[in-house]
Amino acid sequence: MAAREQWGTRAGFIMAAVGSAIGLGNIWRFPATAFENGGGAFFIPYLFALLTAGIPLLIMEFTMGHKYRSAAPRTYSKMNKNVEWIGWWAVAVAFVISTYYPVIIAWSLSYTVFSFNLSWGADTEAFLFNDYLQLAAPGQFGGMTIGVLIPLILVWAIALGILFKGVQRGIELANRIFIPTLVVIFLIICIRAVTLPGAAQGLQAFFEPDFGALTQGGVWVAAYGQIFFSLSIAFAIMITYSSYLPKKSDITNNAFITGFSNSSFELLAGIGVFSALGFMAQQLNVGVEEVVAGGVGLAFVVFPQIISEFPALSGLFGVLFFLSLALAGLSSLISIAETYIKGLQEKFGWTRGKAVGIGGGAAALCSLVFATRGGLNFLDAADYFINQFGVALLGLVEVVLIAWVLRKLPEFQQHANAISDIRLGGWWKVCLGVITPIVLGYMMIDLFLQNILKQFDTENGNYAGYTDGFIFASGWAVALAALAVGIIMSLIRWKGLSKEEAE
């Protein structure tokens, strides 16, 4: 096999790790979650979750990748050959996410162009769903949407080109450009947003604490959920990236820098988003809560409305906002795809070019489903189920397996402490062995009950009101398929290893 690649510098690794964490969801998910769960008071459980779950899990995954010098499947196989399937399950989850994630990046590129002359007009909701996406009914494909297909091809061309170049000349170099550019652009947006009329009203809504919310268990669960999903934990990214670290890398320090950098960007996003929402609320003479939205509605419906109302240079700030979404998305997409590209290289002994062509090419072809007129519905269902019953469930399985079944925490603690300035103590093992499994276990039980009971709830129905058939085919089946692929891949003999390694 070719010589193992590694990061050129520590800064290159941190930028790549932060780039994988800072995705599209950071810009719209965190502000809405904080607002809905106690405003400023939400930062207390959020910080607690970061310190007791987010950073401990980052340390664990950094240690796994660094110790075993492999992508997730081979890492798990080296720990115990009977649990290799968990690594492939994580890779399969990453593959699914990489099929629909670039479509949202494609929307961002389209809206970057639309910003030049504010093409979305006065009714931004009708423009998105009727004019741009030409949305079909759930379960129908309805043919390709050319306005999505063309930028989608461009997104994949950029991503696969960077991945083909490798770690130092591709991923690291791209993140050295993408991440500073993203931060600078978003700083410009935030500075402009906080100077808008009504910005103070929006920031007050965002930061004003409701300490009564801290007595609600759901708020604490939401904080753990936010940390868990925003740090790209449990779907093979951090294990893969840390496998490229030099042998003397400071693991715990890197984990703290990555965790706090990601949270800092989320806070910056919250300030920018709620300053803009406050401006919008003042323009409409309504409360901030009237204009708050989550998901694609915030990015592609509410923000175009806000940009159109800007007193000056609205087109410029539209370009900057949607360009920042595209950069955040591209850095995450590259990280996600790297998980299965390296996994395929190690499993089958393929060259990097072949792994990028087959793995990335397959993901690109699958993503065409989400560029159809019914794509948004397929994307919505797949995203919900693969995140809840893929990523979150994987995290629970991972931490229980390592802490309680394989009992690897003392070994990992010793490995990390040998090369790190911040030494791990009993707090780390308590966080991973007790706190995280309890919180994730509660989340998963609650999610299973919610989604299974909805099948029998004639009043409220399924997630997003979809039919049983659509939910099964586009949601449950996708999550189950990822698990099935993980098991099947683990049964295939390793071809990229030496005879001694294979034995």
Side-chain angles (χ1 to χ4, degrees), residues 112-417:
T112 302
V113 176
F114 296 154
S115 296
F116 283 101
N117 59 0
L118 308 182
S119 302
W120 48 71
D123 191 344
T124 56
E125 184 173 1
F127 177 82
L128 172 65
F129 296 116
N130 299 335
D131 299 336
Y132 178 56
L133 297 180
Q134 303 169 33
L135 188 60
Q140 296 181 5
F141 291 97
M144 301 300 298
T145 304
I146 300 301
V148 178
L149 178 62
I150 293 173
L152 177 62
I153 293 171
L154 178 60
V155 168
W156 274 116
I158 295 171
L160 295 180
I162 291 170
L163 287 163
F164 183 80
K165 289 289 186 179
V167 176
Q168 285 190 31
R169 294 184 299 119
I171 300 172
E172 182 173 344
L173 181 60
N175 277 288
R176 284 182 176 276
I177 298 170
F178 288 169
I179 302 307
T181 304
L182 170 63
V183 172
V184 169
I185 288 175
F186 218 79
L187 274 172
I188 294 171
I189 293 171
C190 286
I191 291 170
R192 179 64 184 114
V194 297
T195 62
L196 291 169
Q201 179 185 350
L203 291 175
Q204 181 180 2
F206 182 54
F207 285 110
E208 186 174 21
D210 175 13
F211 290 109
L214 299 182
T215 62
Q216 302 170 19
V219 171
W220 291 82
V221 171
Y224 276 89
Q226 176 62 36
I227 287 294
F228 190 81
F229 290 114
S230 70
L231 285 177
S232 299
I233 298 168
F235 54 107
I237 292 177
M238 295 308 181
I239 295 175
T240 302
Y241 268 10
S242 58
S243 73
Y244 294 124
L245 280 170
K247 291 185 177 181
K248 296 297 182 181
S249 300
D250 189 320
I251 290 175
T252 55
N253 206 347
N254 288 339
F256 272 95
I257 292 172
T258 301
F260 280 108
S261 297
N262 173 73
S263 295
S264 298
F265 185 84
E266 289 192 320
L267 178 60
L268 180 66
I271 291 171
V273 167
F274 268 84
S275 294
L277 290 174
F279 165 72
M280 186 68 181
Q282 186 179 86
Q283 295 299 108
L284 299 176
N285 196 27
V286 298
V288 175
E289 66 279 0
E290 297 291 325
V291 294
V292 175
V296 297
L298 175 61
F300 299 102
V301 175
V302 176
F303 253 87
Q305 291 176 344
I306 294 171
I307 291 165
S308 294
E309 296 292 334
F310 268 27
L313 301 177
S314 55
L316 171 62
F317 284 99
V319 169
L320 292 177
F321 176 73
F322 289 109
L323 183 60
S324 70
L325 290 185
L327 289 174
L330 275 168
S331 64
S332 291
L333 174 62
I334 291 165
S335 304
I336 294 167
E338 178 65 16
T339 63
Y340 52 82
I341 287 169
K342 182 168 186 181
L344 291 171
Q345 281 185 276
E346 292 179 347
K347 185 74 172 182
F348 299 108
W350 291 347
T351 64
R352 184 170 187 88
K354 185 175 181 180
V356 170
I358 294 177
L365 287 175
C366 291
S367 70
L368 295 177
V369 170
F370 304 102
T372 63
R373 290 180 173 86
L376 177 59
N377 297 315
F378 292 113
L379 186 157
D380 186 31
D383 178 63
Y384 177 79
F385 280 87
I386 202 67
N387 273 285
Q388 306 300 343
F389 302 105
V391 178
L393 184 56
L394 254 169
L396 177 61
V397 171
E398 176 184 79
V399 75
V400 170
L401 173 78
I402 291 170
W404 291 104
V405 180
L406 300 180
R407 298 187 178 275
K408 287 284 187 178
L409 290 185
E411 182 182 334
F412 290 166
Q413 179 183 5
Q414 183 179 8
H415 180 88
N417 283 345

Side-chain angles (χ1 to χ4, degrees), residues 52-71:
T52 61
I55 290 177
L57 278 165
L58 277 178
I59 293 171
M60 186 182 79
E61 293 202 341
F62 283 180
T63 304
M64 290 166 63
H66 184 265
K67 178 179 174 63
Y68 296 111
R69 321 300 289 167
S70 305

